[in-house]
Amino acid sequence: MSCTVRLGLVLMLAVTMLPRALPASTLTILSPDLPSQSEPGGKGRDSEIVATVLEHCGYYANFRVVPFGRHIRSFSDYDSADAVTTVPGDRDVAGYPSKPYIWYQNGASVLQSSRLKPYTLAGLADLRVVAFANAREILGLEDIIGTLDEYQELSNQRLHSSMLYFGRVDVVLSDGLIFSEINKRMARDPQFRARVDMTEPLLFTPLFDPEPFRLVFRDRKVRDAFNQCFSDLEGRGLIRAINVRHVDRHRDMVGHGYLGY
């Protein structure tokens, strides 16, 4: 075998051993880890909407999922991502913000057997309440906290579920789909199921206005393309169809109270 042929074979082998590069049209997208909404592998309502819109524009979304809050800080501090999802509408982040592409719906979740009906914030008076981290500011709870029997904020929402089922709180304030998904997963956990009856139905009541979220892009042209493609798919009813399909998975808890779907 000649040296030229040997060199050719070595080069071919080296090329085949290299990791496959992502398509040139791939965008690296930072996203928060939110059950049912935005999870590794592009799973969840939020991620599906983003991926579907970008695909319509000719892009492939490569999601990098990190804890909530860190996704925005990482986008701001480093330039390794092309866009960041799930940015609150009033959050100032350097880059080019898209139009709102998704809404989240926070509300009150209670055990059905409690017969509690917190249809308004005033209805939380004298109850024990747990919420996600920074909910006081995000949901504007400052004026009612003094009327509550007890108020806590915990970032680990699995603890919210445990506290509710074990009777340590009366109400959980959170996004309805996220809390429903957490409960469904805990109900499949043999260790937790052995300690508490997870068949007890939960009821969700939307207490707060739906909150819009945007993407922020580094490239204005990509942002403009996203906005146009989103409007196109929204006009065809495809965005609504994605939302309804994901809400349907949690209909047993949220009823028709999540965004009115």
Side-chain angles (χ1 to χ4, degrees):
M1 182 183 295
S2 69
C3 291
T4 301
V5 173
R6 289 176 181 173
L7 179 60
L9 290 174
V10 170
L11 289 174
M12 289 177 61
L13 180 61
V15 169
T16 58
M17 293 177 66
L18 288 173
R20 293 186 178 181
L22 293 172
S25 57
T26 294
L27 297 176
T28 299
I29 312 293
L30 277 168
S31 297
D33 191 0
L34 297 172
S36 83
Q37 304 279 19
S38 173
E39 301 189 73
K43 298 179 181 178
R45 181 176 70 107
D46 194 322
S47 298
E48 183 177 347
I49 290 175
V50 171
T52 300
V53 174
L54 287 175
E55 183 178 3
H56 188 58
C57 291
Y59 296 101
Y60 171 78
N62 177 36
F63 291 100
R64 286 174 46 200
V65 178
V66 298
F68 186 85
R70 188 185 300 173
H71 68 304
I72 297 176
R73 293 196 300 273
S74 296
F75 181 78
S76 299
D77 294 344
Y78 307 99
D79 60 0
S80 58
D82 300 294
V84 58
T85 72
T86 328
V87 178
D90 59 355
R91 182 75 176 267
D92 186 17
V93 178
Y96 300 94
S98 74
K99 63 173 58 178
Y101 72 95
I102 194 169
W103 278 256
Y104 282 60
Q105 179 75 72
N106 287 300
S109 296
V110 300
L111 292 172
Q112 181 173 300
S113 61
S114 70
R115 301 188 182 278
L116 294 174
K117 298 179 180 180
Y119 295 145
T120 65
L121 285 177
L124 298 175
D126 300 323
L127 298 179
R128 298 167 299 165
V129 176
V130 64
F132 53 87
N134 301 316
R136 180 193 303 256
E137 293 77 21
I138 294 172
L139 300 179
L141 303 176
E142 290 86 354
D143 293 339
I144 71 154
I145 286 180
T147 70
L148 305 179
D149 180 53
E150 183 179 308
Y151 177 75
Q152 302 179 60
E153 290 185 0
L154 298 171
S155 57
N156 184 348
Q157 294 193 57
R158 283 177 60 91
L159 295 178
H160 297 185
S161 183
S162 297
M163 295 169 73
L164 185 63
Y165 274 104
F166 282 113
R168 295 170 185 166
V169 295
D170 304 304
V171 181
V172 175
L173 297 182
S174 66
D175 176 85
L177 296 193
I178 293 175
F179 190 58
S180 177
E181 179 64 25
I182 289 172
N183 277 279
K184 289 182 184 299
R185 294 180 185 181
M186 292 184 71
R188 297 193 293 268
D189 182 341
Q191 292 185 343
F192 188 77
R193 196 171 59 239
R195 297 162 55 206
V196 63
D197 179 12
M198 293 290 292
T199 62
E200 173 69 47
L202 299 177
L203 295 179
F204 171 79
T205 302
L207 293 185
F208 307 91
D209 292 335
E211 183 177 1
F213 288 84
R214 306 173 185 269
L215 285 101
V216 176
F217 292 89
R218 296 201 190 278
D219 188 321
R220 182 173 60 186
K221 291 182 179 179
V222 179
R223 187 277 311 272
D224 292 344
F226 178 89
N227 283 347
Q228 181 58 51
C229 290
F230 180 85
S231 295
D232 185 22
L233 295 183
E234 186 177 41
R236 300 185 194 182
L238 295 181
I239 301 299
R240 177 181 174 82
I242 292 173
N243 281 311
V244 170
R245 177 159 45 79
H246 282 272
V247 173
D248 278 345
R249 296 172 182 170
H250 303 277
R251 191 72 67 190
D252 56 333
M253 173 177 155
V254 301
H256 292 277
Y258 196 92
L259 303 175
Y261 289 127

